[in-house]
Amino acid sequence: MEMRETSNADAEPLPFQQRLTLYRRLLAHDHNRAWFRFLNAVLRGGLSGVCLRGGLHLVTFLFGLIMKWRKQQGTRSLNFWSKLQDTARYAAFLATYSGTFVAVDEGIAALFGKRRTAAWRAYAAGAAAGPSLMLTGPQDRHTSLALYILLRGATLLIRCGNKPDAPPAVRKVLTPTRWKHGDTAMMCVATSQILYSWIMMPQTLPPAYVKFLNRHGGRQQWHYNAARELCERAGKPMPPAAYKSLQNTRFKNFKGTCPCEVLHPGQSCNGFMLNFFPDAYLRAIPVYLPVYVFPALLVHRKRLLNPKLAPDIGRRVVQGALRSSLFLSLYCTLAWRGACVGFQWSNGASGALLALTCWTGGLATLAEKKSRRMELAHYCLARAIESFALCLTSWGYVRGDSLPRRTDVIIFSAATAAIMHCYSDSHGRHRDVFKSKYLNVLDFVFGNTGLEEGSIKHVPSTSDLINRLQDAGIRVPAGIRVPSRRTLSNHTASFLGSLENLQALGEQDGNTPRSDMSDSPFAPSHDST
């Protein structure tokens, strides 16, 4: 009998006061504002996807026309429809992500209270919205993009940990992240992996990326094949023999072990570097000039019509393009020079030696603006991590079937959870770790205000503010019109009546709820996300 009574007691519903608090939270939540914010986020997210992805395809198409890339009419039509579908998928992805984040964010706030969940609500909402990445295509994988965003999220968390008000233990652990040239060191590590994969295992890099490296490497394809074959032979006990990659070249009888004799015959390594740099710089200018010109035409289109402002904008565009071209040309030059040092020192070649010496290309990051160095490091490190993971799979250290099918979705969910946590949690007190341009985009999409004040606020409607004041026992001036209960929907009116009945029953049972609940959503507060 005692066990049965204990079981029945465990099965009792929540106490009346907890149920009443939940009902009050649901009623006190500004549903009109939340619904408008949800629709606003979905619309703006979808439009952002159309503008970003569609604009990228448009710029690519216009650049192709400028470069006189002619295609057949049928292929062009098929390409147009595929690009249109791709744009629609990305619009659906961003609209779904924005809507899911807002819906989960508002739902948690309505159920558990905004103040009580302020420290983790955006983290949970960002993680819940991550699977929307699958809308970009069931067969498409975006591991590089997900890793890039994850690195951005990790950087934001590190910045939060480096703030003066962070716990001392956290700041001590993060001491290496405060080094002056930590971004350059990160770029050197990424360069070592990327250039190793480019020569030894190009299948671990995207084909377009390999094509880009082949062009700016300044050599022909058989040079890269020969370097790979020389490195592969170094790890295998093989008698001297002709190289297959050199059969159709003037080096078909070459039987040496140092790639420098093939990569720059008749030149010293220093002479090759000095001759390589000018050509590399000329190859880099067409890459970066459109990167600076097109955004300037879109962002500063009105200022370019002003005779006083146009020259300064043009000067900055040209200066930025020349500086970035200097970075890319130095990157390739220093990478080759580092590899040559290793080849000459060992009088041979191997994959490990290549990875240990080509990191010098990352030092070219010092030629870029300080504000762009971390962007470059993030991009290259994301590529390097993905390539390293594929190398581990190829070497047999990791089984491909042991990994989740959509690893990119898991990584993306963790990344957006970290970003949205820094952006919105704790009443937005970590917003200062973002750059203003990113804050403007996030505020635009997610319907937030408070950029100047440093806090995030979802502005409620006037009627909800007045209702909260009345419920808290504060007198409202007679000149302000308050919507009567007759203007509410039948469902809401009946729900309010049920709430009053529950309260009356609770008073009869002696469970009168407190009127001075500090955490009650009925109390006037600055609701922030």
Side-chain angles (χ1 to χ4, degrees):
M1 292 297 293
E2 293 181 358
M3 293 180 61
R4 183 176 301 177
E5 292 177 359
T6 304
S7 178
N8 292 335
D10 293 339
E12 287 182 359
L14 293 174
F16 170 79
Q17 187 173 347
Q18 296 183 12
R19 287 182 291 163
L20 186 60
T21 302
L22 179 61
Y23 293 148
R24 284 195 172 190
R25 283 176 182 157
L26 290 174
L27 286 179
H29 196 70
D30 192 347
H31 299 288
N32 293 332
R33 177 200 53 79
W35 176 247
F36 177 78
R37 182 187 171 215
F38 171 77
L39 294 179
N40 189 60
V42 172
L43 179 61
R44 292 187 176 186
L47 291 177
S48 299
V50 171
C51 294
L52 292 175
R53 198 65 176 181
L56 177 63
H57 292 320
L58 180 61
V59 170
T60 303
F61 174 74
L62 294 177
F63 187 73
L65 291 180
I66 295 174
M67 298 299 293
K68 297 181 181 180
W69 291 344
R70 303 298 183 185
K71 298 182 180 180
Q72 298 179 358
Q73 186 65 30
T75 304
R76 195 182 314 172
S77 176
L78 179 62
N79 188 51
F80 169 78
W81 285 111
S82 64
K83 299 301 182 185
L84 185 62
Q85 292 175 358
D86 183 65
T87 302
R89 286 195 296 265
Y90 271 82
F93 152 58
L94 289 179
T96 304
Y97 178 85
S98 304
T100 304
F101 174 81
V102 171
V104 176
D105 179 62
E106 295 288 348
I108 294 177
L111 291 173
F112 305 105
K114 290 188 176 182
R115 289 183 175 181
R116 184 173 298 178
T117 61
W120 55 268
R121 188 170 67 249
Y123 189 92
S132 57
L133 181 67
M134 290 187 290
L135 291 177
T136 57
Q139 303 299 328
D140 296 336
R141 298 292 185 271
H142 304 281
T143 307
S144 296
L145 175 64
L147 287 171
Y148 172 76
I149 298 176
L150 181 62
L151 291 173
R152 296 303 303 265
T155 300
L156 294 175
L157 292 176
I158 291 173
R159 290 176 183 172
C160 294
N162 282 327
K163 294 174 70 173
D165 58 346
V170 175
R171 286 181 52 83
K172 186 174 182 179
V173 171
L174 296 178
T175 299
T177 63
R178 294 192 292 272
W179 292 345
K180 182 178 180 180
H181 297 297
D183 45 11
T184 304
M186 189 186 304
M187 188 69 172
C188 291
V189 173
T191 298
S192 179
Q193 174 60 41
I194 289 175
L195 296 186
Y196 167 83
S197 299
W198 171 48
I199 295 296
M200 302 300 299
M201 304 182 70
Q203 68 275 13
T204 63
L205 294 171
Y209 201 66
V210 174
K211 184 178 180 180
F212 176 84
L213 293 175
N214 287 342
R215 170 172 171 74
H216 293 278
R219 304 285 89 182
Q220 299 181 24
Q221 185 61 48
W222 63 267
H223 285 105
Y224 310 135
N225 295 339
R228 183 184 312 117
E229 192 173 358
L230 264 69
C231 292
E232 290 175 348
R233 284 197 179 189
K236 301 177 182 179
M238 300 175 60
Y243 294 94
K244 296 181 179 179
S245 56
L246 301 176
Q247 289 304 304
N248 297 324
T249 67
R250 61 190 181 97
F251 297 96
K252 59 182 180 180
N253 296 322
F254 175 77
K255 296 183 180 180
T257 58
C258 184
C260 293
E261 302 177 29
V262 177
L263 294 174
H264 50 87
Q267 286 183 311
S268 64
C269 294
N270 290 330
F272 165 70
M273 182 180 67
L274 294 176
N275 291 332
F276 178 87
F277 176 76
D279 294 335
Y281 193 79
L282 294 177
R283 284 192 299 268
I285 291 178
V287 174
Y288 282 103
L289 194 59
V291 172
Y292 283 87
V293 171
F294 284 120
L297 294 176
L298 294 175
V299 177
H300 304 293
R301 56 189 182 277
K302 294 183 179 180
R303 295 183 180 181
L304 289 174
L305 300 177
N306 189 332
K308 296 181 179 180
L309 300 177
D312 182 62
I313 296 175
R315 178 186 59 81
R316 287 186 293 170
V317 167
V318 173
Q319 182 179 0
L322 294 179
R323 174 180 288 176
S324 296
S325 300
L326 177 63
F327 153 72
L328 182 57
S329 55
L330 279 177
Y331 182 89
C332 300
T333 303
L334 293 176
W336 278 125
R337 189 64 185 93
C340 284
V341 170
F343 296 152
Q344 293 293 333
W345 173 75
S346 64
N347 194 27
S350 65
L353 182 64
L354 182 65
L356 290 174
T357 55
C358 64
W359 61 268
T360 51
L363 298 175
T365 312
L366 296 172
E368 267 288 6
K369 292 174 59 176
K370 181 64 177 177
S371 59
R372 279 182 51 83
R373 294 176 189 174
M374 187 58 73
E375 298 282 347
L376 289 170
H378 283 155
Y379 176 78
C380 291
L381 189 60
R383 294 288 188 189
I385 293 175
E386 181 185 18
S387 175
F388 181 69
L390 293 175
C391 287
L392 292 178
T393 304
S394 299
W395 295 332
Y397 293 110
V398 178
R399 292 178 52 189
D401 55 358
S402 63
L403 300 175
R405 185 177 180 184
R406 292 304 301 265
T407 309
D408 55 335
V409 175
I410 299 175
I411 296 174
F412 181 76
S413 298
T416 55
I419 291 175
M420 300 312 294
H421 170 72
C422 297
Y423 167 67
S424 188
D425 277 339
S426 300
H427 307 290
R429 72 185 185 94
H430 296 305
R431 287 167 59 91
D432 55 342
V433 302
F434 287 86
K435 293 183 179 180
S436 59
K437 57 183 179 181
Y438 296 122
L439 276 179
N440 291 332
V441 173
L442 292 173
D443 286 338
F444 171 79
V445 173
F446 296 107
N448 298 332
T449 61
L451 178 61
E452 293 80 8
E453 294 83 358
S455 62
I456 300 175
K457 300 177 182 178
H458 308 303
V459 183
S461 61
T462 304
S463 61
D464 290 292
L465 285 175
I466 295 174
N467 288 330
R468 293 188 188 187
L469 291 175
Q470 287 182 337
D471 292 330
I474 300 176
R475 184 175 176 275
V476 179
I480 300 179
R481 298 182 60 186
V482 182
S484 63
R485 193 166 292 182
R486 295 179 180 178
T487 61
L488 300 174
S489 64
N490 295 331
H491 177 74
T492 306
S494 62
F495 191 75
L496 287 171
S498 301
L499 178 61
E500 292 175 351
N501 294 334
L502 287 172
Q503 185 174 3
L505 291 174
E507 292 174 352
Q508 294 176 3
D509 294 337
N511 294 329
T512 305
R514 294 176 300 167
S515 60
D516 58 342
M517 293 187 302
S518 60
D519 193 46
S520 173
F522 279 81
S525 62
H526 299 285
D527 297 326
S528 45
T529 305

